[in-house]
């Protein structure tokens, strides 16, 4: 899967318009330049402008008013961290997110190894069993998400659980894209590798070994990064 030129141009345009908002060049309530003005100023097509506007709207930075144009949203300077589904459709975007998750997942596994309860371990084992028995993509994806959610709960910190849920929802379409890219036998081979990684994380958490859990989770995320990175080189 390759990133299109239009998508890359839209990324650049979004960043430049966001910078204008962050620096105060565009303030809440201000009208964005017209599509034609942006086309001329940035040297992009109308398709690129509309894609950028759609992304800004999804991020809560832009609101459209019928007959009046596009305006900077009133709460643009106070928005929470968000990820719209279309922002993680390209492999390059998934890779950026995985880079961020690498540290997050490692720290989470380390805390889980210190704090896990018997019920936490049971939930992890149940997810592992579901992954091992699943023969279709949707089942594998949901069991994967359930395993990471169980680790998050084991930290005893509800912010880990909430953020893991937030990220998991946005990564599911991309994981499905990856798993569906290959024939069933190749998918099974990938699933076995992923399950082995999860077993290593579980074993470290069960043993109450924080350092080992940290290393196992980081190794798992690194392999995930490399799997997605390989997609960018496919035709």
């Amino acid at each position: 899967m390759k990133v299109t030129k239009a998508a890359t141009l839209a990324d650049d345009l979004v960043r430049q318009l966001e910078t204008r908002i962050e620096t105060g060049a565009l303030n809440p309530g201000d009208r964005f330049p017209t599509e034609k003005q942006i086309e001329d100023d940035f040297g992009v097509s109308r398709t690129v402008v509309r894609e950028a506007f759609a992304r800004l709207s999804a991020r809560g930075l832009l609101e459209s008013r019928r007959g009046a144009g596009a305006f900077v949203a009133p709460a643009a300077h106070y928005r929470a961290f968000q990820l719209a589904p279309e922002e993680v459709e390209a492999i390059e975007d998934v890779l950026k997110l995985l880079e961020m998750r690498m540290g997050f997942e490692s720290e989470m596994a380390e805390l889980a190894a210190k704090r896990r309860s018997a019920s936490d371990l049971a939930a992890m084992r149940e997810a592992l069993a579901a992954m091992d028995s699943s023969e279709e993509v949707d089942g594998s994806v949901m069991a994967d998400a359930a395993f990471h959610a169980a680790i998050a709960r084991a930290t005893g910190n509800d912010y880990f659980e909430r953020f893991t849920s937030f990220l998991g929802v946005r990564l599911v379409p991309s994981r499905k894209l990856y798993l569906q890219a290959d024939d069933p036998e190749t998918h099974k081979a990938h699933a076995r590798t992923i399950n082995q990684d999860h077993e290593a994380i579980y074993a470290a958490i069960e043993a109450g070994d924080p350092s080992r859990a940290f290393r196992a989770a980081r190794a798992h995320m690194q392999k995930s990064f490399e799997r997605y990175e390989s997609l960018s080189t496919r035709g």
Side-chain angles (χ1 to χ4, degrees), residues 42-230:
F42 293 91
V44 295
S45 68
R46 181 156 299 185
T47 298
V48 169
V49 176
R50 289 180 176 174
E51 172 65 19
F53 274 14
R55 295 190 192 185
L56 289 169
S57 178
R59 296 181 189 186
L61 295 174
L62 177 151
E63 60 178 29
S64 296
R65 299 177 190 171
R66 185 180 295 275
F71 292 80
V72 180
H77 287 171
Y78 307 100
R79 72 191 190 281
F81 177 75
Q82 298 179 44
L83 280 175
E86 61 268 20
E87 291 183 84
V88 287
E89 288 179 348
I91 294 301
E92 286 187 355
D93 295 323
V94 175
L95 290 174
K96 291 175 186 176
L97 196 53
L98 285 171
E99 282 184 344
M100 184 273 290
R101 282 190 75 190
M102 202 168 298
F104 175 83
E105 295 277 356
S106 303
E107 295 288 347
M108 188 168 72
E110 182 179 40
L111 283 175
K114 296 176 182 178
R115 303 172 180 174
R116 83 286 184 276
S117 66
S119 61
D120 293 325
L121 293 173
M124 291 178 213
R125 278 253 53 100
E126 183 179 352
L128 288 172
M131 276 186 279
D132 191 52
S133 62
S134 176
E135 296 183 353
E136 43 85 29
V137 172
D138 287 339
S140 296
V141 166
M142 297 311 294
D144 186 323
F147 178 72
H148 288 275
I151 295 174
R153 285 192 297 275
T155 67
N157 182 331
D158 63 345
Y159 291 116
F160 273 103
E161 186 173 358
R162 288 164 61 184
F163 198 54
T164 297
S165 175
F166 172 84
L167 291 175
V169 167
R170 283 147 184 80
L171 283 180
V172 163
S174 299
R175 279 184 290 192
K176 289 175 70 172
L177 171 66
Y178 175 77
L179 291 172
Q180 289 170 344
D182 298 302
D183 60 81
E185 288 305 313
T186 303
H187 163 56
K188 288 180 182 178
H190 287 317
R192 282 194 296 271
T193 299
I194 293 170
N195 290 355
Q196 287 169 0
D197 287 352
H198 287 160
E199 289 283 357
I201 296 169
Y202 172 80
I205 292 174
E206 182 187 37
D209 189 332
S211 297
R212 185 173 142 206
F214 181 96
R215 293 193 301 272
R218 188 170 184 85
H220 171 54
M221 295 308 300
Q222 180 63 41
K223 289 178 185 177
S224 294
F225 182 92
E226 291 170 359
R227 280 193 291 270
Y228 280 103
E229 189 175 39
S230 71

